[in-house]
Amino acid sequence: MPNYKLTYFKIRGRAETARYIFAYSGINYEDNTVDIMDWPNVKRSLLFQQIPILKVDKTEINQSTAIARYLARETGLAGKTNLEQAQVDAIVDTINDFMNMFPWTEKDPSVKQKITEDVFANNIPLLLDGLSKLLGDHMWFVGDSVTWADFHWAVCSITLTNLNVDVLHNYPKLLALKERVEALPKIAAWIERRPKTPL
Ligand SMILES: N[C@@H](CCC(=O)N[C@@H](CS)C(=O)NCC(=O)O)C(=O)O
């Protein structure tokens, strides 16, 4: 088993899906959280100046989706066939496309609020309608067992709900999937002990 070190801020953000995979599979790793005061120095030391970074022994991987996909493949959470893996990847990429529409780095609060409201009004229904249809009456998005696409949904839907408490009101199946993931004993234990942060 390699030595894993995950570097990110002390928030769920773009590292949380990887943390769910670690938690679910029971793999030990170092959850290295960077204090915002130390960030300028850490940033200068990184090839692409962004986190998350996963260090696997001496190899550094950037990009949150590449990190989570690698961990999912290592732990049997990526989908059972190439076709299932493509379905899983498409769900994750679609969720990311929509999550990236939010103005995360906008400094002006009124601009931030306006764009956020626009995304909820004009874009998020398309995401939720589509995911809800994909899920249908199945337990999990793809195949007959949990994959990292389910984890990614569970993680991103916390942020969506924090921004708009009613967002899942008309999507009971998607809410149930989030709760199913959160009820998995090892995920529930991680949620219990992780830092409580807004993002
Ligand atoms: N596409 C990249 C985006 C990484 C990214 O935007 N990281 C942000 C934190 S969520 C960051 O490092 N921000 C600090 C900065 O750029 O100074 C990924 O998914 O990993």
Side-chain angles (χ1 to χ4, degrees):
M1 182 70 64
N3 216 349
Y4 290 115
K5 178 176 172 181
L6 182 66
T7 298
Y8 194 58
F9 297 117
K10 195 174 181 175
I11 57 172
R12 296 184 310 279
R14 293 182 194 265
E16 195 64 9
T17 301
R19 295 191 186 111
Y20 274 35
I21 298 171
F22 277 126
Y24 183 77
S25 55
I27 293 177
N28 275 331
Y29 71 109
E30 183 186 345
D31 195 9
N32 177 40
T33 52
V34 180
D35 193 288
I36 199 70
M37 302 300 284
D38 301 329
W39 173 239
N41 275 336
V42 177
K43 184 177 170 89
R44 269 192 288 276
S45 72
L46 301 174
L47 269 186
F48 298 104
Q49 305 204 338
Q50 284 190 326
I51 45 181
I53 297 273
L54 179 68
K55 203 163 175 194
V56 184
D57 290 331
K58 290 183 174 159
T59 304
E60 282 190 355
I61 307 170
N62 66 308
Q63 290 293 345
S64 56
T65 309
I67 291 167
R69 185 182 294 116
Y70 158 73
L71 292 173
R73 285 180 179 156
E74 289 291 292
T75 55
L77 289 165
K80 293 195 177 105
T81 62
N82 285 343
L83 187 59
E84 281 193 7
Q85 292 186 11
Q87 291 175 281
V88 166
D89 288 349
I91 290 168
V92 170
D93 287 346
T94 302
I95 294 172
N96 286 344
D97 280 355
F98 283 84
M99 294 306 287
N100 287 336
M101 291 175 184
F102 288 103
W104 301 114
T105 56
E106 174 58 55
K107 297 274 187 298
D108 182 328
S110 60
V111 174
K112 195 171 178 118
Q113 186 182 343
K114 165 92 180 60
I115 300 175
T116 299
E117 283 171 8
D118 282 354
V119 173
F120 273 110
N122 300 320
N123 303 103
I124 295 302
L126 184 64
L127 172 69
L128 300 180
D129 286 347
L131 289 179
S132 200
K133 280 184 192 140
L134 265 182
L135 178 61
D137 291 320
H138 302 110
M139 281 270 279
W140 310 110
F141 273 129
V142 178
D144 56 8
S145 55
V146 71
T147 68
W148 70 290
D150 303 304
F151 289 176
H152 198 59
W153 164 246
V155 164
C156 293
S157 61
I158 299 172
T159 302
L160 286 176
T161 311
N162 285 350
L163 289 171
N164 179 341
V165 70
D166 295 324
V167 68
L168 296 184
H169 190 75
N170 294 325
Y171 300 93
K173 289 175 184 173
L174 291 178
L175 178 60
L177 174 59
K178 170 185 185 283
E179 291 173 348
R180 205 149 42 238
V181 169
E182 292 178 343
L184 295 166
K186 287 178 175 168
I187 299 290
W190 164 244
I191 291 172
E192 184 64 29
R193 71 176 186 275
R194 75 180 166 196
K196 310 293 174 245
T197 58
L199 288 175

